[in-house]
């Protein structure tokens, strides 16, 4: 894959925020960017080329540092947002699990209560049958 290269020539006498904006925008469009500080024989220079170069290098370095800092902040915010989202998902999953467990516990309790009631009813029925049988046996003996 070939890289896209751009050149931004200018006298940059002095470097302005407009120059820096053009350089910044070009840097986002190309893989490699060359900023050329050139002598314009048609103009009388306010600053020597060495000073213009130093000002541009300093401004570009500051802009790159600010951009890197902003990118780091954005990345951190994204990580925090993703962590919050995962925590919220985990909380919802835990709440669902807890709700399901409560439903299962309730059903188990209801099943146990039903089984206990059936057992008690059977015991009553068995006792009633035994009592009736005993009464029938006594009545038979009494005859």
């Amino acid at each position: 894959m070939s890289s896209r290269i751009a050149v931004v020539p200018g006298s940059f006498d002095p470097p302005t925020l407009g120059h820096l904006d053009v350089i910044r925008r070009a840097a986002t469009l190309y893989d490699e960017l060359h900023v050329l500080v050139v002598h314009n024989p048609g103009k009388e220079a306010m600053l020597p080329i060495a000073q213009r170069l130093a000002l541009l290098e300093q401004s570009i370095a500051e802009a790159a540092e600010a951009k890197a800092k902003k990118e780091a902040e954005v990345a951190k915010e994204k990580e925090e947002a993703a962590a919050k989202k995962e925590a919220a998902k985990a909380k919802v999953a835990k709440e669902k699990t807890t709700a399901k467990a409560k439903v299962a516990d309730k059903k188990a309790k209801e099943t146990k209560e039903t089984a206990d009631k059936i057992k008690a009813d059977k015991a009553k029925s068995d006792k009633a049958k035994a009592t009736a049988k005993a009464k029938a046996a006594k009545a038979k003996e009494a005859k």
Side-chain angles (χ1 to χ4, degrees):
M1 181 167 123
S2 64
S3 62
R4 299 174 311 150
I5 301 172
V7 176
V8 178
S11 60
F12 303 104
D13 188 28
T16 65
L17 294 176
H19 293 133
L20 294 174
D21 186 52
V22 169
I23 292 167
R24 181 187 55 80
R25 290 173 186 240
T28 63
L29 298 172
Y30 297 94
D31 301 321
E32 191 175 325
L33 181 67
H34 298 274
V35 179
L36 302 179
V37 179
V38 296
H39 171 70
N40 184 345
K43 293 183 182 179
E44 188 174 322
M46 290 174 37
L47 302 171
I49 287 181
Q51 189 175 2
R52 288 183 262 162
L53 274 171
L55 287 169
L56 274 171
E57 287 173 350
Q58 179 184 358
S59 297
I60 290 170
E62 288 171 359
E65 186 178 318
K67 180 181 178 187
K69 185 177 179 182
K70 181 66 177 175
E71 288 173 349
E73 288 171 0
V74 168
K76 183 179 178 184
E77 288 171 1
K78 284 182 180 179
E79 286 176 11
E80 288 172 353
K84 283 181 182 177
K85 188 175 180 180
E86 286 303 315
K89 282 183 182 179
K91 183 179 178 183
V92 168
K94 183 179 178 182
E95 288 171 355
K96 283 182 181 179
T97 301
T98 301
K100 286 180 182 178
K102 285 181 181 178
V103 168
D105 287 348
K106 184 178 178 183
K107 285 184 180 180
K109 184 178 177 183
E110 289 172 354
T111 301
K112 185 180 182 317
E113 288 171 355
T114 302
D116 290 347
K117 188 173 187 232
I118 291 170
K119 208 180 209 184
D121 289 348
K122 185 173 183 326
K124 270 186 187 178
S125 175
D126 290 348
K127 186 176 180 181
K129 284 180 187 176
T131 304
K133 204 175 191 183
K135 282 184 183 178
K138 270 189 179 179
K140 196 176 186 183
E141 280 179 21
K143 284 187 187 179

